[in-house]
Amino acid sequence: MSRHARGLLITLVCALAGAAIAWWAATPGVPAEPDVTERARAAADELRDSHLYVEPSADGAFTEEELSRLEAAAAAADPQVFVVVWPESYEAGYRFSSDVLRQIGRLTGRPGLYLEVSPGGDLSSADIGITGEYFSAYGTLDGEWTSARETTRVLEEIEANDGREYELGEDTGSHYWGGTGGTIAAGLLIGVFSGGVAGPLILGGWFAVRRRRART
């Protein structure tokens, strides 16, 4: 086998290995779902007929006018948006915001973008029942929290979500890489670059060993 052919073979092997590693990293085993929490059930009951739920413990955090604006924007968006407003809690029966948002989405049976708004805390999001281009809303406001500033931020996120390309149906692939196809393409690209570096190194070492053996 010629040196050029060996280099191509090593590059191909590295490319396939890179694709396999990217696929494994993007599609880990799905852990057992946590039990549905009462918090999720209460939110889902309200969101079956609306696009905004405010937990009683968060009453007064936003004005009625601000809540009306959020409700109207969420209902008009495509994909549609469902907003959950409640304080952050580490004792509500779930570990991550995405867990409870998925619970709510499954209970409502309404696909779209689910937003968790915690006054003074993090803003979180999750696509439920749709496969679409990558979108994420996360983080806290810089500086002092006010309902007006939070309302503006949530409205901006809803506007950014509006018009995204999407399809109905849950996707178990990586949204970060653009779905399953993007994950494979990214893995192949990583593998090709790895092969371009690893191939010459491996070949150089192989020829060095052969030359040393030929001298002895």
Side-chain angles (χ1 to χ4, degrees), residues 120-191:
D122 284 337
L123 176 68
S124 303
S125 69
D127 281 339
I128 308 298
I130 62 173
T131 299
E133 57 186 283
Y134 180 73
F135 181 89
S136 177
Y138 182 77
T140 58
L141 281 172
D142 293 330
E144 182 183 1
W145 186 92
T146 66
S147 63
R149 294 184 65 211
E150 186 71 280
T151 299
T152 298
R153 177 170 68 148
V154 176
L155 289 173
E156 289 174 349
E157 296 291 354
I158 293 174
E159 182 179 0
N161 158 82
D162 192 21
R164 277 196 297 151
E165 293 184 2
Y166 70 96
E167 296 179 356
L168 296 178
E170 202 70 42
D171 180 17
T172 57
S174 170
H175 290 280
Y176 183 81
W177 293 108
T180 300
T183 299
I184 296 174
L188 288 173
L189 186 61
I190 293 170

Side-chain angles (χ1 to χ4, degrees), residues 39 53-59 61-62 84-98 100-101 115-125 137-141 145 150 153:
R39 208 178 203 196
Y53 168 73
V54 180
E55 191 176 70
S57 59
D59 279 346
F62 293 86
V84 178
V85 180
W86 57 31
E88 290 182 332
S89 173
Y90 297 100
E91 300 178 357
Y94 55 88
R95 184 175 180 184
F96 301 108
S97 296
S98 57
V100 72
L101 292 177
L115 288 175
E116 180 192 61
V117 181
S118 297
D122 284 337
L123 176 68
S124 303
S125 69
Y138 182 77
T140 58
L141 281 172
W145 186 92
E150 186 71 280
R153 177 170 68 148

Side-chain angles (χ1 to χ4, degrees), residues 58-70:
D59 279 346
F62 293 86
T63 67
E64 289 300 322
E65 189 271 338
E66 289 166 345
L67 293 177
S68 296
R69 292 174 62 195
L70 292 175

